[in-house]
């Protein structure tokens, strides 16, 4: 069987259930809103004209792609877990972390908030924040592409497990 065909069939199989479809929509929508907010402050959102939600075409496309991939990864891993398929747990968890970290640490108030929670002074927060966020901002495009690749790999691996375990039984 063609791998792409197996992924499509596994996605259809999982999302055919109303509960998993609704869960996917909720996860994808919430992550889209989160990514739209995070990427609105991105340096990559400055160059092109805004088309929707205060985002340019690049940021909007990235928000949508990561949200769909993240939703598929989480929901399909949940489906596989519930149905006893062997999981690609480390890849799934790694994909979620890799999807959140790059855009979450660049150009947001997460690092200053963490520093403030640990009692850092305003001067320390101002001086240290740039040192942490700078590398994430510099390599943001590469990190986002890496995140999307890891998420796609997670969907691919869990699809194979679902095809082997669950679709063969039915």
């Amino acid at each position: 069987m063609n791998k792409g065909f197996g992924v499509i069939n596994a996605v259809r199989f999982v999302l055919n259930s109303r509960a998993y479809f609704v869960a996917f929509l909720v996860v994808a929508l919430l992550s889209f809103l989160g990514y739209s907010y995070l990427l609105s402050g991105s340096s990559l959102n400055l160059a092109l004209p805004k088309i929707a939600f205060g985002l340019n075409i690049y940021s909007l496309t990235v928000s949508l792609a990561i949200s769909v991939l993240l939703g598929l990864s989480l929901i399909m891993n949940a489906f596989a877990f519930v149905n006893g398929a062997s999981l690609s747990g480390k890849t799934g968890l790694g994909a979620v972390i890799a999807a959140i970290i790059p855009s979450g640490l660049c150009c947001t108030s997460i690092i200053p908030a963490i520093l403030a929670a640990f009692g850092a002074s305003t001067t320390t927060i101002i001086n240290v924040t740039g040192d942490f966020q700078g590398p994430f901002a510099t390599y943001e495009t590469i990190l986002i592409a890496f995140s999307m690749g890891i998420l796609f790999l997670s969907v691919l691996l869990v699809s194979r497990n679902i095809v082997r375990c669950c679709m063969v039984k039915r």
Side-chain angles (χ1 to χ4, degrees), residues 101-116:
I101 287 179
S103 57
L105 294 181
C106 170
C107 312
T108 65
S109 61
I110 292 174
I111 291 175
I114 291 171
L115 292 172

Side-chain angles (χ1 to χ4, degrees), residues 34-45 54-55 58-60 62-63 66 103 108 140 144:
Y35 274 101
S36 296
Y37 174 73
L38 290 173
L39 291 175
S40 68
S42 168
S43 62
L44 301 171
N45 195 42
L55 300 174
Y58 167 78
S59 298
L60 188 64
V62 166
S63 293
I66 288 181
S103 57
T108 65
E140 181 179 30
I144 288 173

